[in-house]
Amino acid sequence: MADAKSDPLPEPDRLEGAPHPRATQGLFGHAAQEADFLAAFATGRLHHAWMITGPKGTGKATLAWRLARFLLATPEDDGGMFAAPPPDTIDIPPSHPVARRLLQLAEPRNFLLRRGPNDKETALSQVISVDEVRKMKSFFALSAADGGRRTAIIDSLDEMNTASANALLKLLEEPPANVTLFLVAHQPARLLPTIRSRCRELRLSPLGPQDLADALTQAGGEVAPEDRAALAELSTGSVGEAFRMTNLDGLKLYTALVRLFATLPRMDRPQALALAELAAGKGQAETFDLLVTLIDLLLARLARHGVTGHPVPEAAPGEATLLSRLSPNPTAARAWADLAQSLSARARRGKAVNLDPAALLMDMLLKVDETAGSLAQR
């Protein structure tokens, strides 16, 4: 067996079990954003830095690779009378030499900036270091092999620390000639305003049920037609989250949670214990994380229903009735929102000190039962 140092490190910008964004050809639900970029290209108004924003899992990295592939594979217009007409799509066939080189990370005109190994090279660093940004700056200081376009993909800005963000800012302030940067950002509001102001934004929105199902199928996942609406609700339109839920039976887990919450304010303890035990034992860390996510999601849906009073598409049988009963007004909504916040902090603390996952989940469920009981007495 290879030791930890000889095992290859996972790619930090790839969802486990899914193809890397550079290997994903199609992009669903974002035709308007691609059209905006193509219009800027066709009119000679191509910005040097494009920040691609939106929730995680909506295709931001896939779009970045598609745009870089398009720029590097499309000949530059020399202004001659026999120049080709402007392209009407950014699609580049996978057989194109540029597409093949990008897939193998062997394209000499593209730089990929992402988290690298830690100092001991035993695991991935938690942040994109300033040294990685310096490597990118050195890359652009060299002359391109053919004097043409060059690109960089930064995935993601959210993983930069202060030093690396400041180093990137200097590059954005004095961009190299003929270079286009594609910057992936999950939470742009947390970034330096000076970085945001030097980029043109392409904002991606959550995917609808059909686009989500198509994207999930392309990534190797499967979803039954009757489950598409529920999966879109629970994943909030994120392909990455939908992929995680399909791999871990997220729809079944959420249905079990709804059945359990239906017993409130006198929670069925055997049901609760059986659900908590799903996260017990080695190898169940992903199930624990998903259950914590689903509890938080159900509490958020309770809070939203109490505030708006509007029914939401059911993500599990009986959910609509449950939401109306447990959260009939803004007072209940506030209680569920406060509980969601405290349970999220409790889960983070418990995981940090290695508490037993099953015991932690059971404790969280008992807090839910306690809140339901308090609301029933009002």
Side-chain angles (χ1 to χ4, degrees):
M1 178 180 293
D3 60 28
K5 289 186 179 180
S6 63
D7 288 339
L9 296 178
E11 293 191 89
D13 50 350
R14 176 181 181 176
L15 181 68
E16 185 177 355
H20 190 278
R22 66 177 179 273
T24 304
Q25 288 295 315
L27 184 65
F28 299 93
H30 307 306
Q33 289 78 3
E34 292 192 354
D36 286 347
F37 180 87
L38 196 59
F41 174 85
T43 56
R45 295 182 288 105
L46 195 65
H47 201 277
H48 70 276
W50 295 77
M51 183 181 294
I52 306 174
T53 67
K56 277 190 174 183
T58 48
K60 297 187 297 297
T62 297
L63 178 58
W65 282 95
R66 280 175 58 79
L67 297 178
R69 189 184 302 127
F70 165 78
L71 283 183
L72 296 177
T74 302
E76 296 194 57
D77 186 358
D78 61 5
M81 62 183 300
F82 299 108
D88 57 5
T89 177
I90 67 167
D91 289 336
I92 299 296
S95 59
H96 193 285
V98 167
R100 293 201 303 266
R101 291 195 296 268
L102 285 173
L103 183 61
Q104 299 300 322
L105 295 180
E107 171 54 59
R109 296 175 296 155
N110 181 70
F111 189 93
L112 174 58
L113 178 61
R114 56 184 178 177
R115 286 185 290 133
N118 61 17
D119 293 338
K120 297 182 179 180
E121 298 189 354
T122 56
L124 289 169
S125 171
Q126 295 301 304
V127 297
I128 295 176
S129 69
V130 67
D131 289 338
E132 298 297 327
V133 179
R134 288 169 180 157
K135 290 177 184 178
M136 182 174 68
K137 296 177 74 172
S138 297
F139 170 82
F140 288 132
L142 301 175
S143 298
D146 60 358
R149 300 189 185 100
R150 289 174 292 171
T151 59
I153 296 172
I154 303 170
D155 191 2
S156 67
L157 289 177
D158 307 75
E159 295 170 330
M160 286 187 155
N161 58 21
T162 302
S164 56
N166 284 328
L168 174 64
L169 177 59
K170 292 180 180 179
L171 186 68
L172 292 172
E173 289 173 338
E174 300 178 7
N178 227 9
V179 166
T180 306
L181 293 90
F182 299 104
L183 307 93
V184 174
H186 308 304
Q187 296 179 304
R190 295 187 177 183
L191 302 176
L192 291 173
T194 44
I195 287 182
R196 295 171 56 191
S197 67
R198 284 165 173 79
C199 301
R200 177 167 172 180
E201 184 177 9
L202 290 174
R203 178 164 182 79
L204 307 192
S205 300
L207 299 180
Q210 185 59 57
D211 285 329
L212 184 70
D214 291 341
L216 188 64
T217 300
Q218 179 179 243
E222 295 183 4
V223 55
E226 62 271 20
D227 291 335
R228 289 175 180 173
L231 189 61
E233 280 290 305
L234 295 184
S235 65
T236 60
S238 164
V239 181
E241 189 64 8
F243 197 87
R244 179 170 76 128
M245 289 201 178
T246 55
N247 284 347
L248 297 173
D249 284 332
L251 291 179
K252 290 182 180 179
L253 290 177
Y254 191 75
T255 298
L257 267 178
V258 169
R259 284 201 302 265
L260 178 62
F261 275 45
T263 67
L264 298 175
R266 296 178 180 177
M267 179 177 284
D268 186 312
R269 297 296 179 89
Q271 275 193 56
L273 184 59
L275 196 60
E277 286 295 325
L278 292 176
K282 293 183 178 180
Q284 299 304 314
E286 290 184 341
T287 299
F288 170 78
D289 289 341
L290 180 56
L291 278 169
V292 170
T293 297
L294 293 175
I295 291 172
D296 183 70
L297 180 61
L298 182 47
L299 294 177
R301 288 166 73 82
L302 279 165
R304 184 173 67 178
H305 183 275
V307 170
T308 66
H310 297 151
V312 296
E314 280 196 326
E319 187 191 24
T321 300
L322 174 72
L323 298 181
S324 296
R325 181 173 68 85
L326 293 182
S327 191
N329 53 52
T331 299
R334 178 60 182 269
W336 292 121
D338 289 345
L339 179 64
Q341 186 174 9
S342 66
L343 290 188
S344 179
R346 183 182 294 261
R348 288 195 302 271
R349 288 195 302 268
K351 190 173 182 180
V353 298
N354 294 319
L355 289 183
D356 175 60
L360 181 55
L361 276 172
M362 191 65 188
D363 179 65
M364 293 171 67
L365 293 173
L366 291 175
K367 291 295 182 184
V368 171
D369 191 38
E370 181 182 311
T371 299
S374 297
L375 288 172
Q377 295 174 6
R378 294 182 182 180

